[in-house]
Structure formats: structure tokens, C-alpha cells
Amino acid sequence: MKIVIVGAGAVGTHLSKLLSREHQDCVLIDGDEERLGTLSEYDVMTYQASPTSIQALKEAGVEHADLFVGVTPEESTNLNACILAHALGAKKTVARIDNYEYLSPEHQAFFKNLGVDSLIYPEVLAAIDITNGLKLSWVRQRWDVHDGALILLGIKLREAAEILNQPLRNLCGPDDPYHVVAIKRNGDTLIPGGMDELRVNDLVYFMTTKEYIPYIRKIVGKEHYTDVKNVIIMGGGKTAVRAALTIPNYMSVKIIEKDAQRCEKLNELLEKDEAMVIHGDGRDLGLLEEEGIRNTQAFVALTGNAETNILACLTAKKLGVRKTVAMVENLDYVSMAESLDIGTIINKKTIAASHIFQMMLDADVENLRSLMLVDAEVAEFTASEGSKVTKKPVKDLGLPFGATIGGLVRKGVGMLVNGNSQIQAGDSVMVFCHEQKLNNIEKFFKKNTIW
């Protein structure tokens, strides 16, 4: 598969690294030679040129591109590049944008006619993750599939959990309301089997259905966690704005921003009932005390500095805040933040890259998420008529090592999957696997695959 990317910023470079691991034919175009130089050790062809140069796009082979990605910092550049790429023969195009209006469903056909197949707004995607995490104060990550027909919960286990040190086959039988689909332990990722056990400080991903969330909360020993009612956000950037607009109305939100002009802009963008804007430094302990940090259930650090966000969350925890969320854009700091027990970690480029990456797969993939903290991916495949996955029970499919099916949605109803489950054409199936294995999974769901 040939992929052409314009923009060697955070999203473009991260996506290029993912593609190099998948051994895809990838070309990265950027006008800055220094940014391109950071990819010298990866199997990616780089091209120093203007992203909207027709000659450069032709020389990069865009006419043969299966996917063209525009992820420069400039929205107009991305849109123009996608329009040109489409005209030159690219099969699919995706553009990073900064204008929320463009995401309206009524505009999809408009952009499609221009030659832009898909739009991504990383700050909106990050805000959705933040909001989902705040709704359940006791989870690290939450992902709703098909409007909540299935729920994925990432939970850090403590001593109070009643499911520790027991084989999973005794905990997750055919009639139990959850499956354990991934575990992070001491830096290692495990797609578990029946003999594996859960231990203290494991980060565990559960697949369940909405009605059993209280049951999961009980067995992991988190019933004493207070639900989030008051939220303090440090940093008033785009992600903070989108988060404030999506956080449920029953939560009270305060945004602390140290730039006075930005505070004025925030007051223009947000109504008083959506967020209270405070001019100040979120690292100021006196200000935090004054704004009621000790009566706050969630602290969200969204400045552009990863170190500041991590330290601010540690401070908030010491002041008694149970739920903390840190924006960590530097991937080198993610494992450190996790080891410090920060809480929920948000990285916009991995979120955006996951949405782009799913467009590469040949099978019908409706959604794809990279579980950054466990080096695993979860994909929502739709089973095609006559595909291999529909011909045998799950236990006889011969799925690759390190892959498991956690659940499916059939006619809008979520259900968990066990070895005896029979997948039907049209089912939306949740598959978990180690990174770099999705290409081995998608053939199970494709039409007319020859075995």
C-alpha cells in the first residue's frame, strides 16, 4: 500500500513511524529539512518540498497513492493538498483541520465533492477521551462502542480488588459479564489467556456492557471513589475549549489560563454555564486552594508542556484530587508519567494517527484505537458475508497469537464473545491485538479471502 503524508509535525512523524513498522510504502513531504531528518532511522522516504507543489506531489507518486494525508499545522494547506492529490489520482484523502464547523455531517458531501474524504480535528478527539474519562472517576480510559452497546474500561488495580491472584478462566467464564482483553504489567503488555492472573498495580482493560459497569466497579474495589462534579482545567488551549463544551452539564468547570488575552478569548468562546475562566498560573498552590482544589474531584492539565502537566497532576493528587488527566505530547514521557501513577494520559498525535491508520486497512473497519499505555490496538471490524470469521466458532478460527475477540454488536445489541460464539455477517466485532498484528487480523473479516 502506498501512503503519502504531507507535514512532518507531531502527527505526521508519528504516523510515518507506525507505517514504517508495518513495512508500508510511505513518503513524507515537508518544507523543513530539519524535521525530516528526525526520521532518518526509519524506513520512510522523505521529500523536502512545499506540500502544495503539484510537481512535488507528482514526483512523490501521489497518482498511485492509496491514501494521502495532510497533517501540516495549517488547515488551508492540508485541504488544498488533499484537493490536489485527489485530482492527481490519490484514492483516499484525509486532512487535519482546526475549524469545528467543518465536522458537521451536512458538510461531508461538500468536502467529498472537493476531493477530501475524511477530516480529523485532534483536539476534538482528545476532548472526547477526556470527557469519557471524567464520567467514570475510577477508570483510566473509557471507550464506548456503538453508542455504548459495548464499553471498554482501562482500570488500575489496587489491593481492594476482589479479582486478584485468580486464573482468568475462573473469573471470565461464558456467563460472566466481562472479559479481560489486555494487561499492562511492569512495562510489558499481555493479551491474556485463561491461566493468567491479575495482580496489584496491573493496568487492566475490561470489555463489558453498560448495565454491568457498576458490577465492574465493585469487583475492582473502586466503589469508594467519588463521582466527578467539580473539574479544574489548567491551560486554555483548543483542547480545553472542546473539553469544556463536551463535559456533561452536571459538572462544574473552571479553566485556569495564565495569558490574559487568551482569557478574554475564552470568555468569548464559552458561556458562563460552560466554564468559569480564571486568569492565573495553575501551578500556584495559593490560587488552587483559593479555587477550591480540595473540593475538586478532577484536575485536567492541558498546557503545551508535558513536564508542567505531569508535575501539576502530581501536585493535585497530593492536594487530594482523585482523578487527574495530563496531556503528554512527548511520547518519551508517556511511560514515565504512567510509572508516576499520574492517571489518565492524553496524547493527541496517537489518537489522530489511530483514526488515520484505520483507513489503510482493506477490511471494513469502523473504528480503531491505539491503547498507547499497553502497546496494543483495538479495532472494530465488520464481518463480511462469506468471510472466514463467519464460518467457524471463535475457538476454531486460528487467530494469531497475541490477538483476542472481546465482544460484538449485532443489530445494535452488545454481547461478549467466548470460544463457542459464532460470528455472523454484519456483526461489528471488537478485536484486541499487539501492535503490528492488525494486518494479520483483517483477512479473517474480508470477503472471498482464499485460505
Side-chain angles (χ1 to χ4, degrees), residues 143-330:
W143 187 31
D144 290 15
V145 183
H146 274 271
D147 296 322
L150 287 174
I151 308 288
L152 176 67
L153 302 175
I155 303 170
K156 189 85 166 184
L157 297 187
R158 306 299 188 188
E159 290 83 354
E162 62 184 60
I163 53 176
L164 299 173
N165 307 316
Q166 304 172 58
L168 287 177
R169 66 180 183 183
N170 296 341
L171 298 172
C172 308
D175 299 323
D176 288 298
Y178 68 91
H179 284 167
V180 173
V181 293
I183 302 170
K184 178 69 172 289
R185 178 182 298 154
N186 299 326
D188 295 324
T189 297
L190 177 67
I191 303 295
M195 294 303 295
D196 291 302
E197 299 180 356
L198 303 178
R199 301 175 187 170
V200 173
N201 293 325
D202 281 354
L203 177 60
V204 182
Y205 283 84
F206 296 82
M207 177 62 77
T208 188
T209 50
K210 186 176 293 185
E211 64 268 28
Y212 288 107
I213 290 178
Y215 177 75
I216 300 295
R217 185 174 188 172
K218 174 182 178 296
I219 64 175
V220 299
K222 305 279 187 177
E223 289 181 298
H224 61 288
Y225 277 57
T226 305
D227 291 336
V228 174
K229 294 182 180 178
N230 300 309
V231 183
I232 290 180
I233 299 176
M234 183 177 77
K238 293 178 182 178
T239 306
V241 172
R242 300 321 316 176
L245 291 170
T246 55
I247 285 174
N249 292 333
Y250 65 83
M251 296 184 191
S252 174
V253 180
K254 294 180 180 179
I255 300 177
I256 301 177
E257 168 58 49
K258 64 180 181 179
D259 184 275
Q261 289 186 334
R262 182 59 184 172
C263 285
E264 293 179 7
K265 183 65 175 178
L266 290 172
N267 281 318
E268 293 175 9
L269 295 171
L270 299 168
E271 300 292 337
K272 289 184 178 179
D273 61 341
E274 292 169 335
M276 177 186 295
V277 179
I278 299 162
H279 180 218
D281 192 332
R283 298 169 296 182
D284 184 337
L285 295 181
L287 177 62
L288 291 176
E289 292 278 9
E290 185 179 326
E291 295 303 330
I293 188 71
R294 295 188 186 276
N295 295 316
T296 296
Q297 294 81 40
F299 181 87
V300 184
L302 300 178
T303 76
N305 187 291
E307 298 98 319
T308 297
N309 294 338
I310 292 170
L311 291 173
C313 285
L314 287 173
T315 301
K317 278 187 170 291
K318 287 185 178 180
L319 293 173
V321 179
R322 179 77 75 173
K323 177 76 174 183
T324 58
V325 180
M327 179 86 78
V328 181
E329 288 300 279
N330 188 334

